Amino acid sequence: MGLWHVFYADWQMECCGTPFSVGDEVSWPLLLLDADEMFGGGWHDQLTKVSGPVEDVGGVRLVREETGLTVALGADPDDDEDRRPLPGDWTRSVGMLSVERHGARWPQVAGRVRAVQVLTQAYAESAPGSRSWEPVAGRRRLRTVERCPKWFTDADAERADGQRRRWRKSGVVVTLEVPGTDSWLSYAVREARGMPQQDPEPGAETKDLPAAALTALLESLSTVTPPPTPTARRRHGRTEGHRR
């Protein structure tokens, strides 16, 4: 079973979502978004890679991910040209999985909720006295909870670095376990537990792991702290960087 980070936006939940708890079985339509367009970018742990053939279903570009996940590909609404891959293409895309309950319809993904983190995003006033706010890239917090709230709130404005800022609870980051799939996150969990990566038994990464231990492990793999700057090294005549 693959573990996937999925973002559930506050307005999607408040409009027509149903709150859920850790351990619940859910079914959601998933959309892969450009991570740089989500709250100014700066994401790392929560990024998802999908690869597979592209098909068109009622005008929606779907990827039947090679490990079993079905995901719709988002388009940039400000782009004059549709840059999504064409039906019949094979694509490899990296972005943020999100729940999308508005507009077109496509097959939903069913799975079990393994962790829930409330996302609190920083916003800065776009201009002094403008009363309009823009997300601050990379300035966010995650707090582990047992249940997704129905309603989300703003904090009072404060002044920081010469700007007025405010924090807003902007949704939740969910760890969703989906049968018949595999993922970067599942790989990271197996690595953290010292488990073999070759031909893993489905669901082995979470099997027999107490709930509290699983929560702590998943929390450590879904942070907002920037990763360390790669240290350059030279190998075989070219410069490479260390990666986690």
Side-chain angles (χ1 to χ4, degrees), residues 11-12 16 28-31 55-62 71-75 84 98-108:
W11 67 273
Q12 295 268 5
C16 47
W28 298 328
L30 298 184
L31 177 68
E55 59 184 273
D56 188 285
V57 177
V60 177
R61 301 284 169 82
L62 287 184
V71 180
L73 298 177
R84 295 176 300 173
S98 67
V99 177
E100 178 54 68
R101 293 196 169 279
H102 296 77
R105 295 289 183 264
W106 59 88
Q108 299 192 7

Side-chain angles (χ1 to χ4, degrees), residues 8 18 33 52 97 109:
Y8 205 131
T18 300
L33 297 176
L97 286 178
V109 173

